[in-house]
Amino acid sequence: MDRQQKLITLLAFACLGACQGGADNMQQKDIRLITVAPGHFHAALVQKSMYPEVDSVVHVYAPEGPELKAHLALIDQYNTRADNPTRWNEVVYQGEDYLEKMLEERKGNVVVLAGNNQRKIDYISRSVDAGLNVLADKPMAINKEGFSKLQQAFATAKEKDVLLYDIMTERYEINTMLQRSLSQVPEFFGGLVEGSPDQPAITKESVHHFFKEVSGKPLVRPAWFYDTKQQGEGLVDVTTHLIDLVQWESFPEEIIDYKQDIELLSARRWSTSLTPAQFERSTGQAEFPSFLSSSLGDDGNLAVYANGEINYRLKGIHAKVSVIWNFEAPQGTGDTHYSIMRGKYANLIIRQGAEEQYKPRLYVESTGERDDDAFENALKKAVDQLDGTYKGLAYEKVDDGRYLINIDPSLVTTHEEHFAEVTEKYLGFLQSGTMPEWEVPNMIAKYYLTTKALEEAETVSAP
């Protein structure tokens, strides 16, 4: 018996003790989590924190294998850390009939999904059909067929009075939050310009890396992560976050009707090449599995269509999102994000390059519509107005008409911490029994655009 099998056994016995001696506590915890096939580390990040309204016993249903072991190892790491350890009791069912077993036993009322994206939409549909709430990692749909199933899942969720929600962590990044807030001060920003395909009103670009560290340890990815039929292409994966932010920032709390408000202008895709050595370093597997054979080039390298760009109009405003995946970031760097919102009086720009030491920073630049003194005066008033929400907010001039927004360190949280913030938001929805009326139609709009863009890009030649 290896260490991980011992962990599974110990956790199961720990749960038995807790359940036998803690019935009253169980009754006080109305929300009980079920984790299904946790093939992505995001499933564990939901449990990096404890939540007062969530029972500490979590039922896990998954096939036996390294993905389950990696998930439980992360939970164990959170449970045994020196600083503010968690107290999760994982009760594990291993078997190929894991989904049927979960639906039969119904040991909880919230299904957490983060793993194989090809199967995810079916997990969502089956869970919602069974009257279970679902908190799902992005993307919930990776193709046109999946989008149709997702639409039906949202309709069923409404009928069953359950909540289906995706994990949009980037709404909780402080620079993005401030970019949104400053754009909503009309006396300073002046409203979004209409823009054009060559100069969109809002642009979101991100660069990601296949090999990285999570919770201080190298991330081992499953081989299927590199199969776009299972993981999804870049156009339908990370762009989910970017499109969500475009909607969330440009038209906050407004309903997006995908049939009327979205016009796809163009979409393109291209691949990242991985050598056999890079694949082995990332997955631990010495050879490419057979399901990747169709993606191997004559040079023996793997072509992964992880990159993409979408140009579109949203309620008449031109927008562009793009994503690039490289294998590994240069030493001292990491994933990066660039974003610009163009207003009548100001441009709000997030940069994360060498000048920013690869940490996101928010800049404000004058468009020249006002003289320098009038622009700085308007900026001061906007910052003072936001100080009630964001304590310690300040700005400094870095050039004529260009300013850096200084953010108090207490407002900065990490990507991993954002998962707890999303989960807490969702738990609030569960306790109130409802979500804001714009959330569901805007999720539908988001996945319509990603899957439509993929369909479009597949018909044109990649560069």
Side-chain angles (χ1 to χ4, degrees), residues 36-43 67-68 71 114-116 220-222 224-225:
V36 175
H40 195 289
F41 66 92
H42 287 176
E67 294 173 21
L68 174 60
H71 174 75
N116 189 303
V220 178
R221 296 192 186 273
W224 59 256
F225 182 85

Side-chain angles (χ1 to χ4, degrees), residues 50-113:
M50 300 293 294
Y51 311 95
E53 57 272 73
V54 178
D55 197 284
S56 62
V57 177
V58 178
H59 288 264
V60 182
Y61 296 83
E64 184 177 359
E67 294 173 21
L68 174 60
K69 290 181 178 182
H71 174 75
L72 293 173
L74 270 177
I75 301 300
D76 184 42
Q77 180 181 333
Y78 303 151
N79 278 346
T80 57
R81 66 192 177 205
D83 183 24
N84 193 27
T86 53
R87 303 177 307 281
W88 299 109
N89 293 323
E90 305 290 294
V91 182
V92 181
Y93 175 83
Q94 299 181 75
E96 292 304 314
D97 62 340
Y98 58 92
L99 183 61
E100 303 303 329
K101 194 71 172 178
M102 183 276 287
L103 295 170
E104 174 190 334
E105 294 186 343
R106 295 174 59 92
K107 293 289 188 177
N109 49 21
V110 176
V111 175
V112 176
L113 298 173

Side-chain angles (χ1 to χ4, degrees), residues 154-374:
F154 276 117
T156 303
K158 184 176 181 179
E159 294 172 6
K160 300 278 187 177
D161 197 25
V162 296
L163 301 184
L164 169 58
Y165 195 62
D166 61 355
I167 301 175
M168 291 289 100
T169 50
E170 299 309 304
R171 294 184 188 179
Y172 299 86
E173 199 282 313
I174 185 60
N175 292 279
T176 299
M177 295 167 69
L178 287 169
Q179 186 183 45
R180 178 187 194 241
S181 294
L182 284 169
S183 75
Q184 296 303 304
V185 182
E187 298 81 3
F188 163 68
F189 186 62
L192 274 172
V193 299
E194 181 180 336
S196 66
D198 293 332
Q199 194 173 58
I202 182 167
T203 298
K204 299 281 183 183
E205 301 173 353
S206 64
V207 179
H208 292 257
H209 300 88
F210 290 125
F211 189 81
K212 63 175 71 175
E213 288 191 350
V214 175
S215 297
K217 295 184 178 181
L219 173 64
V220 178
R221 296 192 186 273
W224 59 256
F225 182 85
Y226 294 102
D227 179 8
T228 55
K229 293 182 178 63
Q230 299 184 67
Q231 172 61 22
E233 293 200 12
L235 277 175
V236 296
D237 185 10
V238 175
T239 55
T240 309
H241 278 305
L242 306 182
I243 292 167
D244 182 78
L245 292 181
V246 169
Q247 297 177 170
W248 184 73
E249 292 188 66
S250 302
F251 301 98
E253 300 184 11
E254 290 187 32
I255 292 175
I256 307 295
D257 181 341
Y258 78 90
K259 294 179 180 179
Q260 298 181 13
D261 297 332
I262 293 177
E263 180 186 359
L264 176 63
L265 302 177
S266 66
R268 64 189 185 101
R269 60 201 269 271
W270 63 99
S271 64
T272 297
S273 180
L274 264 69
T275 67
Q278 289 173 328
F279 181 80
E280 181 175 7
R281 188 179 175 205
S282 175
T283 66
Q285 297 189 25
E287 297 181 354
F288 293 116
S290 60
F291 59 75
L292 291 175
S293 59
S294 63
S295 299
L296 295 177
D298 294 337
D299 57 2
N301 294 338
L302 182 69
V304 185
Y305 277 89
N307 313 295
E309 177 183 287
I310 307 173
N311 289 276
Y312 64 107
R313 272 196 291 263
L314 176 65
K315 293 196 173 200
I317 298 296
H318 284 269
K320 182 179 81 170
V321 299
S322 64
V323 59
I324 294 173
W325 280 82
N326 298 319
F327 178 70
E328 184 177 11
Q331 187 66 33
T333 70
D335 293 351
T336 62
H337 179 72
Y338 169 81
S339 171
I340 182 168
M341 295 184 76
R342 302 182 188 275
K344 179 180 180 181
Y345 302 125
N347 294 328
L348 309 174
I349 308 169
I350 298 173
R351 291 191 174 94
Q352 196 176 355
E355 181 181 346
E356 294 76 32
Q357 298 180 319
Y358 299 99
K359 302 293 183 184
R361 304 298 298 271
L362 175 61
Y363 296 89
V364 173
E365 296 181 355
S366 172
T367 62
E369 285 284 327
R370 290 168 165 161
D371 63 43
D372 288 350
D373 289 342

Side-chain angles (χ1 to χ4, degrees), residues 117 120 124 137-142 231-232 236-238 240 447:
N117 293 323
K120 187 183 294 175
I124 289 171
D137 191 32
K138 62 81 194 157
M140 294 199 289
I142 62 173
Q231 172 61 22
V236 296
D237 185 10
V238 175
T240 309
Y447 288 107

